[in-house]
Amino acid sequence: MKYNTKSNGVFKKIYQKFRYGFLNNPSRYVTSPLRVSPNFFVIGAVRSGTTSLFHYLGQHQCITSSAYDEIGYFDDNFHLGEHWYRSLFPTVFTKNKILKKHGKFLTYDVTPFYIYNPLVVERIKTYFPNSKIIACLRNPIDRAYSNYMIELQDGDTNLSFEERIQPEIELINNKKIKLDNKAFLVDTYYNNIIARGFYAEQLKHWYNSFPKEQLLMVSSEELSKNTHNTLNKIFDFLDLQNTEINDISKKNKREYRAMKKETRDFLIELYKPHNEKLYDLIGRKFAWDI
């Protein structure tokens, strides 16, 4: 469960920290006190180019990536503790070397499931209140369809897209569900591929907790078509010198057939009011209603 406020028993905590920390990567875990914490976060969205962005960012001379993306510390892995988390970031020696050479150093956590979890917002606000937050948002129709095609290609469903989303549409239209129940919201409602595209409802928790100047929204379409310009926008946001990175190949990309036109037309109407709420919240529009 990603909305998990329960605390494991003392012995279970010790065992999990030993197993996933020391046994998995002893050198990193032992040196965790000599490692840094993230300066900024890429919070989502799922199937919106965050894996590519993870690889792009690490190519800037002032940025060093974490050990991998989708760390999930502030939702799934919070029980593993700060030492486990810090073990996944660069050492202070790496930081000092880059500072000496380039004058600035940053590292980051890319976990696309963070975006819709209010518990993550609370935790990052508590531990990293001055951090900068980036969200890469994709046309919610294409995002949902991409999510479905992953399931289909990986054998997790044999339903058509229309069959797959029908129960989700019924849940969304159910007036009796209580979206003020955060556990239900995270573990059930946003576990649906359609509801994950209701970005305004998810991002309002971030905008309520962080100043606007600490938040940046970019679209995955911009990242894909105008990669260097979009990255420079991100570097400006991070107060870094613009840099043209070398490798802008797309990561975790899959090919699949087009969606039915009538299905797309239906989803355009479904998402339209949610997109308008997003545009009002972030103060800009994306060309998604097509």
Side-chain angles (χ1 to χ4, degrees):
M1 294 187 300
K2 292 189 179 297
Y3 193 86
N4 187 5
T5 58
K6 294 181 180 179
S7 178
N8 295 328
V10 174
F11 293 109
K12 188 174 183 179
K13 274 187 177 181
I14 293 172
Y15 165 74
Q16 288 177 328
K17 290 178 180 180
F18 180 76
R19 177 186 174 186
Y20 294 104
F22 185 79
L23 290 184
N24 277 10
N25 202 319
S27 61
R28 278 186 167 272
Y29 194 73
V30 168
T31 60
S32 62
L34 299 175
R35 294 180 179 274
V36 299
S37 298
N39 307 97
F40 68 96
F41 298 85
V42 178
I43 60 171
V46 178
R47 299 303 302 162
S48 298
T50 56
T51 300
S52 294
L53 185 56
F54 173 82
H55 289 280
Y56 300 159
L57 291 169
Q59 295 179 57
H60 192 284
Q61 65 267 23
C62 295
I63 303 178
T64 302
S65 66
S66 56
Y68 52 84
D69 64 335
E70 299 194 15
I71 292 173
Y73 173 63
F74 288 99
D75 49 24
D76 289 339
N77 297 316
F78 197 67
H79 61 286
L80 296 180
E82 181 186 0
H83 285 296
W84 176 84
Y85 189 46
R86 288 173 68 99
S87 74
L88 301 174
F89 292 95
T91 65
V92 293
F93 308 110
T94 298
K95 175 182 178 179
N96 291 336
K97 182 179 178 181
I98 292 176
L99 278 174
K100 185 176 180 180
K101 186 174 183 180
H102 299 292
K104 190 156 186 176
F105 169 87
L106 298 175
T107 188
Y108 56 100
D109 175 348
V110 175
T111 303
F113 300 96
Y114 284 169
I115 187 172
Y116 58 77
N117 195 332
L119 185 59
V120 170
V121 183
E122 294 171 14
R123 286 170 172 170
I124 292 180
K125 180 64 176 178
T126 298
Y127 292 98
F128 300 99
N130 299 317
S131 61
K132 292 193 174 182
I133 312 294
I134 300 167
C136 190
L137 308 175
R138 186 178 183 180
N139 183 325
I141 300 172
D142 299 324
R143 198 225 63 77
Y145 194 56
S146 177
N147 222 154
Y148 160 75
M149 291 304 301
I150 292 289
E151 294 179 0
L152 185 67
Q153 292 173 357
D154 290 353
D156 295 326
T157 186
N158 58 5
L159 300 174
S160 70
F161 181 58
E162 291 73 22
E163 291 170 333
R164 170 69 177 80
I165 67 173
Q166 184 56 41
E168 298 191 4
I169 301 299
E170 292 174 2
L171 177 66
I172 290 166
N173 291 333
N174 185 348
K175 305 298 183 183
K176 294 182 180 180
I177 61 173
K178 296 182 179 180
L179 297 183
D180 56 347
N181 181 328
K182 293 179 180 178
F184 170 81
L185 186 73
V186 173
D187 293 325
T188 301
Y189 192 72
Y190 287 136
N191 201 36
N192 292 336
I193 61 177
I194 295 298
R196 281 188 183 174
F198 297 162
Y199 300 130
E201 289 84 343
Q202 299 163 42
L203 287 169
K204 69 180 182 182
H205 299 289
W206 296 91
Y207 276 85
N208 287 339
S209 298
F210 291 88
K212 282 190 175 182
E213 57 268 23
Q214 288 177 227
L215 298 160
L216 177 68
M217 307 294 125
V218 298
S219 77
S220 66
E221 292 83 7
E222 293 171 340
L223 183 64
S224 177
K225 295 175 183 177
N226 300 298
T227 306
H228 290 300
N229 288 340
T230 304
L231 286 174
N232 283 334
K233 184 185 297 184
I234 293 173
F235 297 149
D236 286 341
F237 173 67
L238 297 172
D239 298 319
L240 296 176
Q241 179 182 351
N242 287 354
T243 298
E244 187 162 311
I245 64 170
N246 295 320
D247 180 9
I248 59 169
S249 59
K250 295 177 176 61
K251 311 298 180 182
N252 203 17
K253 182 182 178 182
R254 301 204 191 186
E255 302 293 335
Y256 41 80
R257 62 180 181 269
M259 185 189 305
K260 293 180 180 178
K261 183 180 182 303
E262 55 269 30
T263 303
R264 189 172 194 88
D265 290 342
F266 167 78
L267 291 176
I268 286 173
E269 294 306 312
L270 174 73
Y271 280 118
K272 191 171 289 185
H274 296 279
N275 290 345
E276 290 301 325
K277 288 179 183 178
L278 173 68
Y279 304 152
D280 288 342
L281 179 68
I282 69 176
R284 61 172 305 198
K285 287 193 174 187
F286 301 125
W288 286 346
D289 295 331
I290 54 174

